Amino acid sequence: MKVLITGGAGYIGSHTAVELIEAGCRIVIADNFSNSSLVAVKRIRSITETEVPCYFADLRREETVTRIFRNERPDAVIHFAGLKAVGESNEHPVAYYDHNLGSMIQILKAMRTYNCRNLVYSSSATVYGGEAEMPVMEDAALQTTNPYGRTKKMIEEMLMDTSGAYPEMCITALRYFNPIGAHRSGLIGEDPLGIPNNIAPFITQVAAGRRGYLQIFGNDYETADGTGIRDYVHVTDLAKGHIAAINKGAGRNGYHVYNLGTGYGTSVLELVHMFRLVSGKRIPYVITPRRPGDAAVSFADTSKAERELGWKAELSLEDMCRDSWNWQQKNPAGYRSEMIMEVETL
Ligand code: NAD
Ligand code: UFG
């Protein structure tokens, strides 16, 4: 099977690229590198010892997407490309609708033109909002609180309509919980530009001394230690979930939705504690007020993915923290570390 991975140089896309190649698929990456690095593609090549075709492409552009489909004729698409920062989406909502909806529309048009019938889409637990009962199941009511979340929900609706009109297609939306960790080699990982929005890269940068302390957003939630609870899932497990979905999609039709998480929740303080154990470093923190819009608790019911896709997360919180720390230590400035080294050796 030949799989087009949009956003394949990004955090989840690069890990999925590696797992797909190791599962025997041929892949093609298309990315505009707005939030990623060419070094990631180079590293995918070195982990898998495979030539990976890669297009520098803005997927909002119809002629660009058409050219990729005309040249590559993929059997399936995994669509990761898009913008993903909640705070930024409040400041720049139009950019979020433009990139997220725009690229999805072009991909769907090209899939129709080139008779490509198997699509896996990156959705998010954010579509459940903050009020759902936990663990949350896929049929819970959807509720969004910011433009980013609304793009995810709108795209799910777009996909449902598309599936209704073209029943020969198989469209799968995967709702990710909180991916953290990195490839066990330490060659690829999460490489946020600027100050990290998410907790795991923030903690590793504090442990490494790049930042002074972590701010814990609230310790007055109704949880055992008062801090927020999330379902952290190893990015390699998440990547394997895509392989399960794309394989299943090759043999069926319709629109399907799955939660991808571990099924258990971890508090911010428990996460800090685990990072401290695996790194042996101090992780200073201060408690600050709650971050607006944050849910107290979010964790998945993963029984549907287990039952229908035969997928279950296998790696532990310790694995996630150890692999994040390994990536941080080997790449103190993320992918820029490699470029800095190359410049220094000139
Ligand atoms: P990422 O930013 O690392 O990867 C997204 C990639 O898409 C980047 O490489 C970026 O350069 C590319 N891109 C953005 N706009 C593009 C465009 N118009 N054309 C071509 N490429 C474009 O993010 P990620 O964490 O790997 O997330 C991948 C997907 O998963 C996103 O759709 C995100 O919304 C979703 N998701 C992520 C999380 C998370 O916590 N990381 C949680 C739930 C859902
Ligand atoms: N947190 C802190 N300090 C920080 C960052 C986060 O205490 O510096 C806390 C948050 O309050 C929350 C937990 O750590 O309790 C996790 O926060 P993240 O920002 O890492 O993750 P979120 O659950 O807020 O959001 C993530 C993605 C969203 C996605 C959502 C559901 O960023 O895009 O998971 O999948 F929608």
Side-chain angles (χ1 to χ4, degrees):
M1 187 175 0
K2 186 177 195 180
V3 185
L4 170 63
I5 309 182
T6 75
Y11 174 45
I12 307 171
S14 57
H15 289 80
T16 304
V18 167
E19 297 305 316
L20 276 169
I21 293 168
E22 289 180 352
C25 293
R26 286 184 297 149
I27 67 158
V28 181
I29 287 175
D31 202 302
N32 70 354
F33 297 95
S34 59
N35 195 37
S36 51
S37 164
L38 256 177
V39 177
V41 178
K42 201 171 144 189
R43 301 269 180 99
I44 296 168
R45 290 176 178 152
S46 82
I47 294 170
T48 59
E49 297 179 355
T50 304
E51 264 315 306
V52 177
C54 177
Y55 288 82
F56 195 143
D58 185 332
L59 299 166
R60 293 170 299 172
R61 294 173 62 91
E62 183 161 10
E63 58 279 20
T64 303
V65 176
T66 305
R67 184 167 54 86
I68 296 170
F69 273 76
R70 194 191 313 119
N71 291 350
E72 302 293 340
R73 308 279 172 159
D75 302 299
V77 178
I78 306 182
H79 184 50
F80 292 105
L83 305 181
K84 63 163 185 177
V86 171
E88 184 186 63
S89 80
N90 284 313
E91 286 162 39
H92 303 289
V94 180
Y96 274 68
Y97 292 111
D98 185 19
H99 282 269
N100 294 4
L101 274 67
S103 62
M104 185 76 262
I105 289 168
Q106 297 309 337
I107 293 289
L108 287 172
K109 287 205 284 198
M111 287 183 76
R112 294 301 305 151
T113 305
Y114 290 91
N115 195 27
C116 177
R117 299 176 177 191
N118 187 358
L119 170 67
V120 172
Y121 170 65
S122 297
S123 190
S124 166
T126 197
V127 297
Y128 295 121
E131 305 297 321
E133 201 179 310
M134 299 294 158
V136 65
M137 295 180 72
E138 289 83 351
D139 58 4
L142 303 190
Q143 185 210 12
T144 52
T145 53
N146 56 72
Y148 166 69
R150 279 187 275 283
T151 67
K152 293 279 147 188
K153 181 168 173 282
M154 284 179 190
I155 291 172
E156 285 202 16
E157 286 162 355
M158 194 192 289
L159 295 178
M160 227 181 306
D161 290 341
T162 304
S163 164
Y166 310 116
E168 67 280 15
M169 291 184 82
C170 182
I171 303 183
T172 309
L174 300 177
R175 293 180 182 153
Y176 313 151
F177 281 68
N178 289 62
I180 64 170
H183 190 262
R184 62 187 179 282
S185 64
L187 286 172
I188 53 173
E190 188 169 10
D191 184 23
L193 294 173
I195 301 173
N197 294 307
N198 297 113
I199 189 146
F202 207 106
I203 293 179
T204 55
Q205 292 187 9
V206 171
R210 256 178 88 181
R211 300 190 187 278
Y213 58 90
L214 170 73
Q215 296 184 50
I216 294 184
F217 299 143
N219 66 350
D220 56 352
Y221 287 106
E222 284 185 25
T223 60
D225 63 25
T227 63
I229 288 182
R230 294 291 183 275
D231 186 339
Y232 298 99
V233 54
H234 197 295
V235 66
T236 297
D237 274 333
L238 195 71
K240 289 180 176 164
H242 292 75
I243 296 169
I246 210 93
N247 283 336
K248 186 85 181 178
R252 69 169 169 178
N253 307 328
Y255 178 65
H256 310 273
V257 182
Y258 298 99
N259 286 340
L260 295 187
T262 60
Y264 63 83
T266 300
S267 75
V268 174
L269 282 172
E270 287 167 336
L271 185 68
V272 170
H273 180 68
M274 183 56 82
F275 265 111
R276 194 187 302 137
L277 277 181
V278 301
S279 66
K281 300 284 182 190
R282 283 181 62 246
I283 301 171
Y285 62 81
V286 295
I287 306 289
T288 64
R290 295 179 181 190
R291 184 170 63 179
D294 270 359
V297 180
S298 166
F299 63 103
D301 182 311
T302 57
S303 55
K304 188 177 174 204
E306 196 175 339
R307 199 171 56 244
E308 295 187 14
L309 299 179
W311 175 87
K312 193 174 179 348
E314 287 169 352
L315 297 167
S316 66
L317 189 71
E318 185 175 348
D319 297 323
M320 300 176 212
C321 296
R322 187 202 53 228
D323 291 341
S324 289
W325 180 234
N326 182 39
W327 153 255
Q328 170 69 43
Q329 280 184 298
K330 290 187 171 152
N331 306 274
Y335 291 118
R336 279 181 54 241
S337 309
E338 177 163 327
M339 295 194 245
I340 291 167
M341 269 156 38
E342 281 178 5
V343 170
E344 279 172 354
T345 52
L346 281 178

